[in-house]
Amino acid sequence: KTEEEFELTYNIMEGETVTTGQKPDTVLTLEKEYSQTKYQFIFDAKYRLNPGNRTGVLPGPKESDINTMHRYRDSIVFKNNNKYERTVFGAYVLFPYHDEKKFREHKFYKSIKKVNVGAFPFLPNSNQLLTEFIESIINESSLSTHERSPAIIGSDEYYDILAFKKNSVVHNVKTNQNLDFCLQNKIVKIERSQLKILNYTLEYVALYQSKKEFDDNSGIYWIGKVRNIYESSFLKYCPSKRKNTTKDYYVLEVEAWRRLANCIGISRQGIATNVITNDWAIKAATKVEDLFVKSAAEWKENIERNRN
């Protein structure tokens, strides 16, 4: 129906031999609709059985064979745009065992759902678990297939930085009175002319305390998740015209304020009114200048320059 192609290969050297070549028994390669990626799954026949024992250890494959599946999944790579990428999303032992119902409770069957490495019983009359699995990986979307592979720790943080969404505003609170108002009422008022909010999806707001007004307590200490944004007008006294004038504001309602683990200090550059930035940058910054970074590449360059 989808015009996807499946390819089944047997006993072929897989991947580029960056370290050592790998020659698994059977590799199933799937194409997926709306994706340019080819997804590989390894099924390796092992004719050894761990018979288990009477203390509750179920019959299953040898642990050494499961370790081989980990090696297959992690060591088969191809070069793509000058970087090496793994192409195997799962690797499984096929071993001789008849009781599929009992094997459903085995840790090496449950591990398939957790880390996509495990085992299936495989005999002429014992292949239902494998059949169900192959049907599921064929029928699922490319997104679901991709989610089968365990992520490397730090991946979420890495991709957040890479995206560098402009989803946060740092607001100069000007006075102690304004700071107290924001913290107590969980509200930040920003003049509409100072914030082109329609260009961004604001998720966080942080409060900047200037050196001039706050002295030793200057810097950025507080960040809050934005719950709601609405427009409003307030009367404001204008000394130059000796009268009250109406000004339009964005009102940012905050769920709760959280004190940053480390204050963002002021070294050379301050914030006059507001700065649009990224929430990860706020949480990671050590000085105000860090918040003027415009991209992940610039952030990386700054970090590496400071480290050297």
Side-chain angles (χ1 to χ4, degrees):
K1 289 191 297 187
T2 59
E3 298 184 358
E4 296 168 346
E5 290 188 3
F6 311 149
E7 183 180 89
L8 198 62
T9 55
Y10 178 74
N11 214 213
I12 292 176
M13 187 71 75
E14 289 288 342
E16 299 190 21
T17 54
V18 181
T19 53
T20 58
Q22 303 296 328
K23 210 172 186 180
D25 285 349
T26 305
V27 178
L28 175 63
T29 303
L30 304 180
E31 289 186 3
K32 292 287 184 179
E33 195 175 22
Y34 310 116
S35 174
Q36 301 298 312
T37 303
K38 290 189 176 183
Y39 301 87
Q40 292 189 321
F41 299 85
I42 289 174
F43 301 90
D44 214 57
K46 301 295 183 185
Y47 302 105
R48 301 182 300 170
L49 177 68
N50 178 356
N53 57 43
R54 294 180 181 179
T55 60
V57 178
L58 298 172
K62 296 285 188 179
E63 284 195 8
S64 58
D65 292 336
I66 293 293
N67 289 336
T68 300
M69 298 306 102
H70 280 285
R71 188 188 78 220
Y72 281 158
R73 190 189 63 185
D74 295 338
S75 61
I76 296 175
V77 296
F78 286 89
K79 197 171 186 179
N80 181 28
N81 293 328
N82 290 322
K83 63 181 180 180
Y84 287 95
E85 298 177 336
R86 293 185 315 197
T87 63
V88 177
F89 282 75
Y92 323 95
V93 171
L94 304 181
F95 73 105
Y97 184 57
H98 66 283
D99 195 337
E100 294 189 271
K101 184 176 180 181
K102 184 182 287 187
F103 190 69
R104 286 183 183 272
E105 301 304 314
H106 199 287
K107 69 174 184 178
F108 289 148
Y109 179 71
K110 293 180 177 180
S111 65
I112 293 171
K113 194 167 186 179
K114 295 175 182 177
V115 296
N116 222 12
V117 169
F120 294 100
F122 196 57
L123 290 170
N125 295 317
S126 302
N127 53 42
Q128 186 59 36
L129 293 182
L130 180 60
T131 301
E132 291 172 2
F133 179 75
I134 290 177
E135 286 179 351
S136 70
I137 61 176
I138 286 175
N139 290 332
E140 70 189 8
S141 69
S142 60
L143 296 176
S144 293
T145 301
H146 201 277
E147 289 166 0
R148 287 181 179 273
S149 186
I152 299 172
I153 191 168
S155 294
D156 289 345
E157 182 180 68
Y158 175 78
Y159 288 115
D160 278 349
I161 299 169
L162 211 59
F164 216 81
K165 298 184 295 182
K166 294 298 183 71
N167 65 349
S168 305
V169 59
V170 181
H171 175 61
N172 186 338
V173 290
K174 303 289 188 185
T175 67
N176 269 295
Q177 185 180 2
N178 287 345
L179 175 63
D180 291 340
F181 176 84
C182 292
L183 296 177
Q184 291 172 16
N185 296 283
K186 298 179 184 176
I187 281 178
V188 177
K189 296 189 300 181
I190 302 178
E191 286 187 26
R192 193 173 170 186
S193 60
Q194 296 175 1
L195 184 61
K196 296 178 180 179
I197 205 167
L198 296 178
N199 295 335
Y200 307 98
T201 302
L202 289 185
E203 299 177 46
Y204 294 91
V205 56
L207 303 178
Y208 170 79
Q209 299 164 215
S210 69
K211 194 84 173 172
K212 180 180 178 181
E213 180 66 28
F214 293 88
D215 198 22
D216 290 341
N217 292 319
S218 62
I220 300 171
Y221 294 87
W222 299 98
I223 186 172
K225 188 171 178 60
V226 176
R227 181 178 63 191
N228 186 33
I229 301 174
Y230 60 89
E231 296 180 39
S232 187
S233 298
F234 295 92
L235 288 175
K236 186 172 183 178
Y237 181 66
C238 184
S240 62
K241 297 181 180 178
R242 297 186 178 277
K243 64 176 181 178
N244 290 329
T245 60
T246 300
K247 288 209 170 189
D248 293 328
Y249 288 82
Y250 285 117
V251 179
L252 282 57
E253 294 181 348
V254 175
E255 289 181 6
W257 291 107
R258 182 172 67 81
R259 193 177 179 93
L260 293 172
N262 298 297
C263 165
I264 302 175
I266 305 169
S267 55
R268 299 190 307 273
Q269 191 170 1
I271 295 173
T273 52
N274 308 286
V275 170
I276 297 291
T277 185
N278 169 268
D279 66 297
W280 189 90
I282 294 174
K283 294 165 188 172
T286 58
K287 55 186 182 299
V288 168
E289 292 95 294
D290 294 335
L291 302 177
F292 293 93
V293 169
K294 295 181 175 61
S295 68
E298 193 177 334
W299 180 269
K300 178 183 174 184
E301 187 179 311
N302 277 7
I303 292 175
E304 293 180 350
R305 183 168 55 245
N306 291 338
R307 288 173 66 86
N308 294 321

Short mmCIF file of all heavy atoms in Angstrom, two decimals, residues 96-121:
data_model
loop_
_atom_site.label_atom_id
_atom_site.label_comp_id
_atom_site.label_asym_id
_atom_site.label_seq_id
_atom_site.Cartn_x
_atom_site.Cartn_y
_atom_site.Cartn_z
N PRO A 96 16.39 -22.27 19.73
CA PRO A 96 15.45 -23.39 19.69
C PRO A 96 14.73 -23.61 21.02
O PRO A 96 15.31 -24.09 21.99
CB PRO A 96 16.36 -24.59 19.35
CG PRO A 96 17.69 -24.20 19.93
CD PRO A 96 17.79 -22.71 19.80
N TYR A 97 13.45 -23.20 21.04
CA TYR A 97 12.64 -23.39 22.25
C TYR A 97 11.18 -23.44 21.84
O TYR A 97 10.75 -22.70 20.94
CB TYR A 97 12.90 -22.25 23.24
CG TYR A 97 12.20 -22.41 24.57
CD1 TYR A 97 12.40 -23.55 25.35
CD2 TYR A 97 11.34 -21.43 25.04
CE1 TYR A 97 11.76 -23.70 26.57
CE2 TYR A 97 10.70 -21.56 26.25
CZ TYR A 97 10.91 -22.71 27.03
OH TYR A 97 10.27 -22.85 28.22
N HIS A 98 10.38 -24.26 22.50
CA HIS A 98 9.02 -24.52 22.04
C HIS A 98 7.94 -23.75 22.79
O HIS A 98 6.87 -23.47 22.24
CB HIS A 98 8.71 -26.03 22.16
CG HIS A 98 8.67 -26.50 23.58
ND1 HIS A 98 9.83 -26.73 24.31
CD2 HIS A 98 7.64 -26.76 24.42
CE1 HIS A 98 9.50 -27.13 25.52
NE2 HIS A 98 8.18 -27.15 25.62
N ASP A 99 8.18 -23.37 24.07
CA ASP A 99 7.10 -22.80 24.90
C ASP A 99 7.11 -21.27 24.80
O ASP A 99 7.72 -20.57 25.62
CB ASP A 99 7.26 -23.24 26.34
CG ASP A 99 6.00 -22.98 27.17
OD1 ASP A 99 5.21 -22.11 26.76
OD2 ASP A 99 5.81 -23.67 28.19
N GLU A 100 6.42 -20.74 23.80
CA GLU A 100 6.40 -19.29 23.59
C GLU A 100 5.64 -18.56 24.70
O GLU A 100 5.99 -17.44 25.07
CB GLU A 100 5.78 -18.96 22.23
CG GLU A 100 6.61 -19.45 21.06
CD GLU A 100 6.08 -18.93 19.74
OE1 GLU A 100 5.21 -19.59 19.16
OE2 GLU A 100 6.53 -17.84 19.30
N LYS A 101 4.59 -19.17 25.22
CA LYS A 101 3.82 -18.55 26.29
C LYS A 101 4.69 -18.32 27.52
O LYS A 101 4.67 -17.25 28.13
CB LYS A 101 2.62 -19.43 26.64
CG LYS A 101 1.71 -18.80 27.68
CD LYS A 101 0.48 -19.68 27.94
CE LYS A 101 -0.43 -19.03 28.98
NZ LYS A 101 -1.61 -19.87 29.26
N LYS A 102 5.48 -19.32 27.87
CA LYS A 102 6.36 -19.20 29.02
C LYS A 102 7.46 -18.16 28.74
O LYS A 102 7.85 -17.39 29.64
CB LYS A 102 6.98 -20.55 29.35
CG LYS A 102 7.85 -20.56 30.62
CD LYS A 102 8.47 -21.92 30.86
CE LYS A 102 7.41 -22.91 31.34
NZ LYS A 102 8.07 -24.21 31.75
N PHE A 103 7.94 -18.12 27.50
CA PHE A 103 9.05 -17.21 27.19
C PHE A 103 8.64 -15.74 27.24
O PHE A 103 9.49 -14.86 27.40
CB PHE A 103 9.66 -17.54 25.82
CG PHE A 103 10.94 -16.80 25.55
CD1 PHE A 103 12.10 -17.10 26.26
CD2 PHE A 103 10.99 -15.76 24.63
CE1 PHE A 103 13.28 -16.41 26.04
CE2 PHE A 103 12.16 -15.06 24.41
CZ PHE A 103 13.32 -15.38 25.12
N ARG A 104 7.36 -15.45 27.15
CA ARG A 104 6.90 -14.06 27.28
C ARG A 104 7.34 -13.44 28.60
O ARG A 104 7.44 -12.22 28.72
CB ARG A 104 5.37 -13.98 27.15
CG ARG A 104 4.84 -14.15 25.74
CD ARG A 104 3.33 -13.98 25.71
NE ARG A 104 2.79 -14.21 24.38
CZ ARG A 104 2.65 -13.27 23.44
NH1 ARG A 104 3.04 -12.02 23.72
NH2 ARG A 104 2.15 -13.56 22.26
N GLU A 105 7.58 -14.27 29.60
CA GLU A 105 7.97 -13.77 30.92
C GLU A 105 9.48 -13.67 31.08
O GLU A 105 9.97 -13.25 32.12
CB GLU A 105 7.39 -14.69 32.02
CG GLU A 105 5.87 -14.79 32.00
CD GLU A 105 5.21 -13.42 32.10
OE1 GLU A 105 5.65 -12.62 32.96
OE2 GLU A 105 4.28 -13.14 31.31
N HIS A 106 10.22 -14.08 30.08
CA HIS A 106 11.69 -14.09 30.18
C HIS A 106 12.24 -12.66 30.02
O HIS A 106 11.73 -11.87 29.23
CB HIS A 106 12.28 -15.00 29.09
CG HIS A 106 13.68 -15.42 29.37
ND1 HIS A 106 14.77 -14.57 29.25
CD2 HIS A 106 14.20 -16.63 29.76
CE1 HIS A 106 15.88 -15.22 29.55
NE2 HIS A 106 15.57 -16.48 29.86
N LYS A 107 13.32 -12.37 30.74
CA LYS A 107 13.88 -11.01 30.68
C LYS A 107 14.42 -10.68 29.29
O LYS A 107 14.43 -9.52 28.88
CB LYS A 107 14.99 -10.84 31.72
CG LYS A 107 16.26 -11.63 31.48
CD LYS A 107 17.33 -11.25 32.50
CE LYS A 107 18.64 -11.96 32.23
NZ LYS A 107 19.70 -11.56 33.20
N PHE A 108 14.84 -11.71 28.53
CA PHE A 108 15.37 -11.43 27.19
C PHE A 108 14.27 -11.25 26.15
O PHE A 108 14.57 -10.88 25.02
CB PHE A 108 16.34 -12.53 26.76
CG PHE A 108 17.64 -12.51 27.51
CD1 PHE A 108 18.34 -13.68 27.77
CD2 PHE A 108 18.18 -11.31 27.97
CE1 PHE A 108 19.54 -13.66 28.46
CE2 PHE A 108 19.38 -11.28 28.66
CZ PHE A 108 20.05 -12.45 28.92
N TYR A 109 13.03 -11.51 26.52
CA TYR A 109 11.91 -11.12 25.65
C TYR A 109 11.44 -9.71 26.05
O TYR A 109 11.20 -8.86 25.20
CB TYR A 109 10.76 -12.11 25.76
CG TYR A 109 9.57 -11.72 24.90
CD1 TYR A 109 9.64 -11.81 23.51
CD2 TYR A 109 8.41 -11.22 25.47
CE1 TYR A 109 8.57 -11.43 22.71
CE2 TYR A 109 7.32 -10.83 24.68
CZ TYR A 109 7.42 -10.94 23.29
OH TYR A 109 6.36 -10.55 22.50
N LYS A 110 11.36 -9.46 27.36
CA LYS A 110 10.94 -8.14 27.84
C LYS A 110 11.95 -7.06 27.47
O LYS A 110 11.60 -5.89 27.31
CB LYS A 110 10.74 -8.17 29.35
CG LYS A 110 9.57 -9.05 29.79
CD LYS A 110 9.42 -9.05 31.30
CE LYS A 110 8.21 -9.88 31.71
NZ LYS A 110 8.05 -9.91 33.19
N SER A 111 13.23 -7.45 27.32
CA SER A 111 14.26 -6.47 27.00
C SER A 111 14.09 -5.88 25.60
O SER A 111 14.61 -4.80 25.30
CB SER A 111 15.65 -7.10 27.12
OG SER A 111 15.83 -8.12 26.14
N ILE A 112 13.35 -6.58 24.73
CA ILE A 112 13.14 -6.07 23.37
C ILE A 112 12.40 -4.74 23.42
O ILE A 112 12.75 -3.78 22.73
CB ILE A 112 12.36 -7.10 22.52
CG1 ILE A 112 13.23 -8.35 22.30
CG2 ILE A 112 11.93 -6.50 21.18
CD1 ILE A 112 12.49 -9.50 21.67
N LYS A 113 11.39 -4.67 24.27
CA LYS A 113 10.61 -3.44 24.38
C LYS A 113 11.42 -2.33 25.04
O LYS A 113 11.23 -1.15 24.76
CB LYS A 113 9.34 -3.71 25.18
CG LYS A 113 8.31 -2.62 25.08
CD LYS A 113 6.96 -3.08 25.62
CE LYS A 113 5.88 -2.03 25.37
NZ LYS A 113 4.57 -2.46 25.86
N LYS A 114 12.34 -2.72 25.91
CA LYS A 114 13.11 -1.72 26.66
C LYS A 114 14.30 -1.18 25.87
O LYS A 114 14.52 0.04 25.81
CB LYS A 114 13.60 -2.34 27.98
CG LYS A 114 12.48 -2.72 28.93
CD LYS A 114 13.03 -3.44 30.16
CE LYS A 114 11.91 -3.85 31.10
NZ LYS A 114 12.43 -4.62 32.27
N VAL A 115 15.12 -2.08 25.28
CA VAL A 115 16.35 -1.63 24.62
C VAL A 115 16.51 -2.18 23.21
O VAL A 115 17.51 -1.95 22.54
CB VAL A 115 17.60 -2.00 25.45
CG1 VAL A 115 17.59 -1.29 26.79
CG2 VAL A 115 17.70 -3.52 25.65
N ASN A 116 15.49 -2.94 22.72
CA ASN A 116 15.49 -3.47 21.36
C ASN A 116 16.64 -4.45 21.09
O ASN A 116 17.14 -4.55 19.97
CB ASN A 116 15.51 -2.34 20.33
CG ASN A 116 14.56 -2.65 19.17
OD1 ASN A 116 13.75 -3.58 19.24
ND2 ASN A 116 14.67 -1.90 18.11
N VAL A 117 17.03 -5.15 22.12
CA VAL A 117 17.93 -6.30 22.01
C VAL A 117 17.31 -7.42 22.83
O VAL A 117 16.87 -7.18 23.96
CB VAL A 117 19.35 -5.97 22.54
CG1 VAL A 117 20.18 -7.24 22.68
CG2 VAL A 117 20.06 -5.00 21.61
N GLY A 118 17.25 -8.62 22.26
CA GLY A 118 16.64 -9.72 23.00
C GLY A 118 16.62 -10.99 22.18
O GLY A 118 17.52 -11.24 21.37
N ALA A 119 15.57 -11.80 22.38
CA ALA A 119 15.54 -13.12 21.72
C ALA A 119 14.11 -13.54 21.43
O ALA A 119 13.15 -13.09 22.07
CB ALA A 119 16.22 -14.15 22.62
N PHE A 120 13.98 -14.44 20.43
CA PHE A 120 12.71 -15.05 20.07
C PHE A 120 12.90 -16.57 19.94
O PHE A 120 13.87 -17.02 19.31
CB PHE A 120 12.20 -14.53 18.72
CG PHE A 120 11.84 -13.08 18.70
CD1 PHE A 120 12.72 -12.13 18.20
CD2 PHE A 120 10.60 -12.65 19.18
CE1 PHE A 120 12.38 -10.80 18.16
CE2 PHE A 120 10.26 -11.31 19.15
CZ PHE A 120 11.15 -10.38 18.65
N PRO A 121 11.96 -17.37 20.48
CA PRO A 121 11.97 -18.80 20.17
C PRO A 121 11.72 -18.98 18.68
O PRO A 121 10.92 -18.24 18.09
CB PRO A 121 10.79 -19.34 21.00
CG PRO A 121 10.52 -18.31 22.03
CD PRO A 121 10.89 -17.00 21.41
#
